[in-house]
PDB file of all heavy atoms in Angstrom:
ATOM      1  N   VAL A   1     -32.394  10.489 125.309  1.00 97.00           N
ATOM      2  CA  VAL A   1     -31.497  10.380 126.495  1.00 97.00           C
ATOM      3  C   VAL A   1     -31.597   8.921 127.005  1.00 97.00           C
ATOM      4  O   VAL A   1     -30.548   8.309 127.324  1.00 97.00           O
ATOM      5  CB  VAL A   1     -31.985  11.166 127.553  1.00 97.00           C
ATOM      6  CG1 VAL A   1     -31.332  10.881 128.862  1.00 97.00           C
ATOM      7  CG2 VAL A   1     -31.746  12.696 127.241  1.00 97.00           C
ATOM      8  N   VAL A   2     -32.825   8.252 126.970  1.00 97.00           N
ATOM      9  CA  VAL A   2     -32.829   6.915 127.407  1.00 97.00           C
ATOM     10  C   VAL A   2     -32.140   5.955 126.409  1.00 97.00           C
ATOM     11  O   VAL A   2     -31.305   5.011 126.948  1.00 97.00           O
ATOM     12  CB  VAL A   2     -34.324   6.521 127.410  1.00 97.00           C
ATOM     13  CG1 VAL A   2     -34.501   4.850 127.501  1.00 97.00           C
ATOM     14  CG2 VAL A   2     -35.078   7.235 128.466  1.00 97.00           C
ATOM     15  N   ARG A   3     -32.087   6.267 125.110  1.00 97.00           N
ATOM     16  CA  ARG A   3     -31.271   5.391 124.230  1.00 97.00           C
ATOM     17  C   ARG A   3     -29.901   5.454 124.434  1.00 97.00           C
ATOM     18  O   ARG A   3     -29.163   4.579 124.558  1.00 97.00           O
ATOM     19  CB  ARG A   3     -31.617   5.791 122.712  1.00 97.00           C
ATOM     20  CG  ARG A   3     -30.662   5.232 121.717  1.00 97.00           C
ATOM     21  CD  ARG A   3     -30.894   5.636 120.295  1.00 97.00           C
ATOM     22  NE  ARG A   3     -31.953   4.839 119.774  1.00 97.00           N
ATOM     23  CZ  ARG A   3     -31.949   3.624 119.182  1.00 97.00           C
ATOM     24  NH1 ARG A   3     -30.806   2.973 119.274  1.00 97.00           N
ATOM     25  NH2 ARG A   3     -32.904   2.990 118.716  1.00 97.00           N
ATOM     26  N   VAL A   4     -29.375   6.666 124.569  1.00 97.00           N
ATOM     27  CA  VAL A   4     -27.966   6.922 124.680  1.00 97.00           C
ATOM     28  C   VAL A   4     -27.502   6.368 126.003  1.00 97.00           C
ATOM     29  O   VAL A   4     -26.273   5.701 126.139  1.00 97.00           O
ATOM     30  CB  VAL A   4     -27.524   8.407 124.577  1.00 97.00           C
ATOM     31  CG1 VAL A   4     -26.091   8.632 124.784  1.00 97.00           C
ATOM     32  CG2 VAL A   4     -27.889   8.925 123.228  1.00 97.00           C
ATOM     33  N   ALA A   5     -28.221   6.513 127.042  1.00 97.00           N
ATOM     34  CA  ALA A   5     -27.801   6.072 128.365  1.00 97.00           C
ATOM     35  C   ALA A   5     -27.817   4.605 128.275  1.00 97.00           C
ATOM     36  O   ALA A   5     -26.840   3.818 128.870  1.00 97.00           O
ATOM     37  CB  ALA A   5     -28.930   6.492 129.416  1.00 97.00           C
ATOM     38  N   ALA A   6     -28.790   3.777 127.652  1.00 97.00           N
ATOM     39  CA  ALA A   6     -28.830   2.359 127.612  1.00 97.00           C
ATOM     40  C   ALA A   6     -27.607   1.943 126.755  1.00 97.00           C
ATOM     41  O   ALA A   6     -27.043   0.902 127.185  1.00 97.00           O
ATOM     42  CB  ALA A   6     -30.158   1.908 126.921  1.00 97.00           C
ATOM     43  N   GLU A   7     -27.348   2.633 125.643  1.00 97.00           N
ATOM     44  CA  GLU A   7     -26.097   2.289 124.852  1.00 97.00           C
ATOM     45  C   GLU A   7     -24.847   2.296 125.603  1.00 97.00           C
ATOM     46  O   GLU A   7     -24.012   1.559 125.486  1.00 97.00           O
ATOM     47  CB  GLU A   7     -26.055   3.091 123.631  1.00 97.00           C
ATOM     48  CG  GLU A   7     -27.131   2.699 122.687  1.00 97.00           C
ATOM     49  CD  GLU A   7     -27.225   3.783 121.429  1.00 97.00           C
ATOM     50  OE1 GLU A   7     -26.441   4.680 121.494  1.00 97.00           O
ATOM     51  OE2 GLU A   7     -27.951   3.437 120.487  1.00 97.00           O
ATOM     52  N   ARG A   8     -24.736   3.307 126.611  1.00 96.00           N
ATOM     53  CA  ARG A   8     -23.563   3.415 127.377  1.00 96.00           C
ATOM     54  C   ARG A   8     -23.545   2.436 128.577  1.00 96.00           C
ATOM     55  O   ARG A   8     -22.580   2.343 129.346  1.00 96.00           O
ATOM     56  CB  ARG A   8     -23.517   4.819 127.987  1.00 96.00           C
ATOM     57  CG  ARG A   8     -23.288   5.903 126.918  1.00 96.00           C
ATOM     58  CD  ARG A   8     -23.049   7.247 127.449  1.00 96.00           C
ATOM     59  NE  ARG A   8     -22.848   8.279 126.494  1.00 96.00           N
ATOM     60  CZ  ARG A   8     -22.658   9.640 126.811  1.00 96.00           C
ATOM     61  NH1 ARG A   8     -22.611   9.937 128.063  1.00 96.00           N
ATOM     62  NH2 ARG A   8     -22.331  10.517 125.939  1.00 96.00           N
ATOM     63  N   GLY A   9     -24.577   1.665 128.657  1.00 96.00           N
ATOM     64  CA  GLY A   9     -24.673   0.669 129.882  1.00 96.00           C
ATOM     65  C   GLY A   9     -25.035   1.256 131.140  1.00 96.00           C
ATOM     66  O   GLY A   9     -24.681   0.713 132.268  1.00 96.00           O
ATOM     67  N   TYR A  10     -25.735   2.317 131.198  1.00 95.00           N
ATOM     68  CA  TYR A  10     -26.057   3.106 132.452  1.00 95.00           C
ATOM     69  C   TYR A  10     -27.455   2.570 133.162  1.00 95.00           C
ATOM     70  O   TYR A  10     -27.839   3.022 134.139  1.00 95.00           O
ATOM     71  CB  TYR A  10     -26.344   4.606 132.208  1.00 95.00           C
ATOM     72  CG  TYR A  10     -25.049   5.399 131.814  1.00 95.00           C
ATOM     73  CD1 TYR A  10     -25.228   6.628 131.169  1.00 95.00           C
ATOM     74  CD2 TYR A  10     -23.750   4.829 132.030  1.00 95.00           C
ATOM     75  CE1 TYR A  10     -24.144   7.351 130.872  1.00 95.00           C
ATOM     76  CE2 TYR A  10     -22.620   5.638 131.653  1.00 95.00           C
ATOM     77  CZ  TYR A  10     -22.758   6.825 131.160  1.00 95.00           C
ATOM     78  OH  TYR A  10     -21.728   7.666 130.754  1.00 95.00           O
ATOM     79  N   ASP A  11     -28.093   1.540 132.516  1.00 95.00           N
ATOM     80  CA  ASP A  11     -29.260   0.956 133.089  1.00 95.00           C
ATOM     81  C   ASP A  11     -30.238   1.979 133.425  1.00 95.00           C
ATOM     82  O   ASP A  11     -30.682   2.195 134.591  1.00 95.00           O
ATOM     83  CB  ASP A  11     -28.876   0.217 134.342  1.00 95.00           C
ATOM     84  CG  ASP A  11     -27.995  -0.963 134.026  1.00 95.00           C
ATOM     85  OD1 ASP A  11     -28.069  -1.715 132.927  1.00 95.00           O
ATOM     86  OD2 ASP A  11     -26.891  -1.245 134.926  1.00 95.00           O
ATOM     87  N   PRO A  12     -30.762   2.753 132.440  1.00 97.00           N
ATOM     88  CA  PRO A  12     -31.679   3.862 132.737  1.00 97.00           C
ATOM     89  C   PRO A  12     -33.130   3.284 132.990  1.00 97.00           C
ATOM     90  O   PRO A  12     -33.493   2.303 132.442  1.00 97.00           O
ATOM     91  CB  PRO A  12     -31.599   4.777 131.571  1.00 97.00           C
ATOM     92  CG  PRO A  12     -31.402   3.807 130.465  1.00 97.00           C
ATOM     93  CD  PRO A  12     -30.416   2.706 131.032  1.00 97.00           C
ATOM     94  N   VAL A  13     -33.803   4.130 133.760  1.00 98.00           N
ATOM     95  CA  VAL A  13     -35.337   3.890 133.986  1.00 98.00           C
ATOM     96  C   VAL A  13     -36.018   5.218 133.666  1.00 98.00           C
ATOM     97  O   VAL A  13     -35.634   6.219 134.299  1.00 98.00           O
ATOM     98  CB  VAL A  13     -35.667   3.381 135.431  1.00 98.00           C
ATOM     99  CG1 VAL A  13     -37.215   3.292 135.685  1.00 98.00           C
ATOM    100  CG2 VAL A  13     -35.004   2.085 135.708  1.00 98.00           C
ATOM    101  N   LEU A  14     -37.027   5.188 132.822  1.00 97.00           N
ATOM    102  CA  LEU A  14     -37.838   6.362 132.536  1.00 97.00           C
ATOM    103  C   LEU A  14     -38.983   6.266 133.547  1.00 97.00           C
ATOM    104  O   LEU A  14     -39.709   5.269 133.563  1.00 97.00           O
ATOM    105  CB  LEU A  14     -38.292   6.206 131.146  1.00 97.00           C
ATOM    106  CG  LEU A  14     -39.303   7.351 130.711  1.00 97.00           C
ATOM    107  CD1 LEU A  14     -38.621   8.734 130.827  1.00 97.00           C
ATOM    108  CD2 LEU A  14     -39.786   7.271 129.263  1.00 97.00           C
ATOM    109  N   VAL A  15     -39.177   7.242 134.314  1.00 96.00           N
ATOM    110  CA  VAL A  15     -40.190   7.395 135.360  1.00 96.00           C
ATOM    111  C   VAL A  15     -41.231   8.355 134.816  1.00 96.00           C
ATOM    112  O   VAL A  15     -40.987   9.524 134.591  1.00 96.00           O
ATOM    113  CB  VAL A  15     -39.696   7.729 136.684  1.00 96.00           C
ATOM    114  CG1 VAL A  15     -40.757   7.864 137.746  1.00 96.00           C
ATOM    115  CG2 VAL A  15     -38.584   6.852 137.146  1.00 96.00           C
ATOM    116  N   ASP A  16     -42.483   7.728 134.709  1.00 93.00           N
ATOM    117  CA  ASP A  16     -43.606   8.587 134.024  1.00 93.00           C
ATOM    118  C   ASP A  16     -44.409   9.151 135.178  1.00 93.00           C
ATOM    119  O   ASP A  16     -45.050   8.444 136.025  1.00 93.00           O
ATOM    120  CB  ASP A  16     -44.405   7.583 133.243  1.00 93.00           C
ATOM    121  CG  ASP A  16     -45.703   8.171 132.713  1.00 93.00           C
ATOM    122  OD1 ASP A  16     -45.911   9.320 132.807  1.00 93.00           O
ATOM    123  OD2 ASP A  16     -46.513   7.398 132.025  1.00 93.00           O
ATOM    124  N   LEU A  17     -44.451  10.524 135.334  1.00 90.00           N
ATOM    125  CA  LEU A  17     -45.273  11.082 136.473  1.00 90.00           C
ATOM    126  C   LEU A  17     -46.484  11.695 135.957  1.00 90.00           C
ATOM    127  O   LEU A  17     -47.112  12.568 136.751  1.00 90.00           O
ATOM    128  CB  LEU A  17     -44.263  12.097 137.168  1.00 90.00           C
ATOM    129  CG  LEU A  17     -43.093  11.512 137.936  1.00 90.00           C
ATOM    130  CD1 LEU A  17     -42.321  12.617 138.730  1.00 90.00           C
ATOM    131  CD2 LEU A  17     -43.489  10.389 138.933  1.00 90.00           C
ATOM    132  N   ASP A  18     -46.796  11.580 134.759  1.00 87.00           N
ATOM    133  CA  ASP A  18     -48.107  12.221 134.250  1.00 87.00           C
ATOM    134  C   ASP A  18     -49.182  11.150 133.831  1.00 87.00           C
ATOM    135  O   ASP A  18     -48.987  10.462 132.866  1.00 87.00           O
ATOM    136  CB  ASP A  18     -47.718  12.941 132.988  1.00 87.00           C
ATOM    137  CG  ASP A  18     -48.940  13.789 132.478  1.00 87.00           C
ATOM    138  OD1 ASP A  18     -49.946  13.640 133.014  1.00 87.00           O
ATOM    139  OD2 ASP A  18     -48.657  14.682 131.502  1.00 87.00           O
ATOM    140  N   PRO A  19     -50.089  11.014 134.742  1.00 87.00           N
ATOM    141  CA  PRO A  19     -51.111   9.843 134.410  1.00 87.00           C
ATOM    142  C   PRO A  19     -51.926  10.109 133.167  1.00 87.00           C
ATOM    143  O   PRO A  19     -52.589   9.138 132.709  1.00 87.00           O
ATOM    144  CB  PRO A  19     -51.982   9.853 135.673  1.00 87.00           C
ATOM    145  CG  PRO A  19     -51.782  11.249 136.305  1.00 87.00           C
ATOM    146  CD  PRO A  19     -50.380  11.575 135.959  1.00 87.00           C
ATOM    147  N   TRP A  20     -52.078  11.260 132.628  1.00 85.00           N
ATOM    148  CA  TRP A  20     -52.939  11.514 131.660  1.00 85.00           C
ATOM    149  C   TRP A  20     -52.161  11.802 130.270  1.00 85.00           C
ATOM    150  O   TRP A  20     -52.858  12.230 129.284  1.00 85.00           O
ATOM    151  CB  TRP A  20     -53.711  12.920 131.943  1.00 85.00           C
ATOM    152  CG  TRP A  20     -54.153  12.949 133.273  1.00 85.00           C
ATOM    153  CD1 TRP A  20     -53.967  13.902 134.209  1.00 85.00           C
ATOM    154  CD2 TRP A  20     -55.008  11.999 133.983  1.00 85.00           C
ATOM    155  NE1 TRP A  20     -54.527  13.634 135.439  1.00 85.00           N
ATOM    156  CE2 TRP A  20     -55.222  12.530 135.416  1.00 85.00           C
ATOM    157  CE3 TRP A  20     -55.592  10.727 133.659  1.00 85.00           C
ATOM    158  CZ2 TRP A  20     -55.939  11.754 136.299  1.00 85.00           C
ATOM    159  CZ3 TRP A  20     -56.347  10.159 134.653  1.00 85.00           C
ATOM    160  CH2 TRP A  20     -56.494  10.683 135.842  1.00 85.00           C
ATOM    161  N   ALA A  21     -51.027  11.416 130.153  1.00 84.00           N
ATOM    162  CA  ALA A  21     -50.196  11.601 128.988  1.00 84.00           C
ATOM    163  C   ALA A  21     -50.168  10.307 128.083  1.00 84.00           C
ATOM    164  O   ALA A  21     -49.562  10.378 127.010  1.00 84.00           O
ATOM    165  CB  ALA A  21     -48.851  11.986 129.249  1.00 84.00           C
ATOM    166  N   GLY A  22     -50.814   9.250 128.416  1.00 85.00           N
ATOM    167  CA  GLY A  22     -50.999   8.109 127.526  1.00 85.00           C
ATOM    168  C   GLY A  22     -49.868   7.053 127.822  1.00 85.00           C
ATOM    169  O   GLY A  22     -49.907   6.016 127.220  1.00 85.00           O
ATOM    170  N   GLY A  23     -48.985   7.194 128.682  1.00 88.00           N
ATOM    171  CA  GLY A  23     -48.155   6.209 129.215  1.00 88.00           C
ATOM    172  C   GLY A  23     -46.794   6.306 128.474  1.00 88.00           C
ATOM    173  O   GLY A  23     -46.692   6.264 127.255  1.00 88.00           O
ATOM    174  N   SER A  24     -45.732   6.442 129.262  1.00 92.00           N
ATOM    175  CA  SER A  24     -44.322   6.530 128.774  1.00 92.00           C
ATOM    176  C   SER A  24     -43.756   5.310 128.164  1.00 92.00           C
ATOM    177  O   SER A  24     -42.892   5.184 127.501  1.00 92.00           O
ATOM    178  CB  SER A  24     -43.351   7.080 129.835  1.00 92.00           C
ATOM    179  OG  SER A  24     -43.574   8.543 130.108  1.00 92.00           O
ATOM    180  N   ASP A  25     -44.521   4.207 128.537  1.00 93.00           N
ATOM    181  CA  ASP A  25     -44.103   2.952 127.836  1.00 93.00           C
ATOM    182  C   ASP A  25     -44.348   2.954 126.348  1.00 93.00           C
ATOM    183  O   ASP A  25     -43.588   2.323 125.567  1.00 93.00           O
ATOM    184  CB  ASP A  25     -44.848   1.716 128.470  1.00 93.00           C
ATOM    185  CG  ASP A  25     -46.340   1.904 128.600  1.00 93.00           C
ATOM    186  OD1 ASP A  25     -46.889   3.013 128.339  1.00 93.00           O
ATOM    187  OD2 ASP A  25     -47.095   0.915 129.064  1.00 93.00           O
ATOM    188  N   VAL A  26     -45.303   3.719 125.995  1.00 92.00           N
ATOM    189  CA  VAL A  26     -45.690   3.997 124.510  1.00 92.00           C
ATOM    190  C   VAL A  26     -44.468   4.696 123.839  1.00 92.00           C
ATOM    191  O   VAL A  26     -44.064   4.378 122.793  1.00 92.00           O
ATOM    192  CB  VAL A  26     -46.974   4.676 124.273  1.00 92.00           C
ATOM    193  CG1 VAL A  26     -47.249   4.976 122.860  1.00 92.00           C
ATOM    194  CG2 VAL A  26     -48.069   3.960 124.867  1.00 92.00           C
ATOM    195  N   LEU A  27     -43.984   5.708 124.573  1.00 90.00           N
ATOM    196  CA  LEU A  27     -42.786   6.434 124.069  1.00 90.00           C
ATOM    197  C   LEU A  27     -41.603   5.536 123.803  1.00 90.00           C
ATOM    198  O   LEU A  27     -40.863   5.841 122.775  1.00 90.00           O
ATOM    199  CB  LEU A  27     -42.429   7.631 125.198  1.00 90.00           C
ATOM    200  CG  LEU A  27     -41.204   8.445 124.988  1.00 90.00           C
ATOM    201  CD1 LEU A  27     -41.331   9.251 123.696  1.00 90.00           C
ATOM    202  CD2 LEU A  27     -40.858   9.134 126.111  1.00 90.00           C
ATOM    203  N   LEU A  28     -41.394   4.551 124.603  1.00 93.00           N
ATOM    204  CA  LEU A  28     -40.325   3.635 124.369  1.00 93.00           C
ATOM    205  C   LEU A  28     -40.587   2.430 123.512  1.00 93.00           C
ATOM    206  O   LEU A  28     -39.827   1.510 123.375  1.00 93.00           O
ATOM    207  CB  LEU A  28     -39.720   3.229 125.733  1.00 93.00           C
ATOM    208  CG  LEU A  28     -39.279   4.220 126.677  1.00 93.00           C
ATOM    209  CD1 LEU A  28     -38.684   3.648 127.876  1.00 93.00           C
ATOM    210  CD2 LEU A  28     -38.391   5.265 126.075  1.00 93.00           C
ATOM    211  N   GLY A  29     -41.924   2.325 123.093  1.00 92.00           N
ATOM    212  CA  GLY A  29     -42.360   1.174 122.290  1.00 92.00           C
ATOM    213  C   GLY A  29     -42.554  -0.039 123.112  1.00 92.00           C
ATOM    214  O   GLY A  29     -42.459  -1.157 122.643  1.00 92.00           O
TER     215      GLY A  29
END
């Protein structure tokens, strides 16, 4: 979803609400 939104120019932000999941920045590289 983040990829497709960014490709469409929607300026997406992924908001990570789980402190114990290892960080959503890892998910996006």
Side-chain angles (χ1 to χ4, degrees):
V1 169
V2 169
R3 168 181 280 280
V4 176
E7 290 175 350
R8 293 183 180 184
Y10 291 164
D11 300 323
V13 175
L14 177 60
V15 180
D16 176 7
L17 296 183
D18 187 353
W20 317 123
S24 288
D25 50 357
V26 177
L27 175 67
L28 303 188

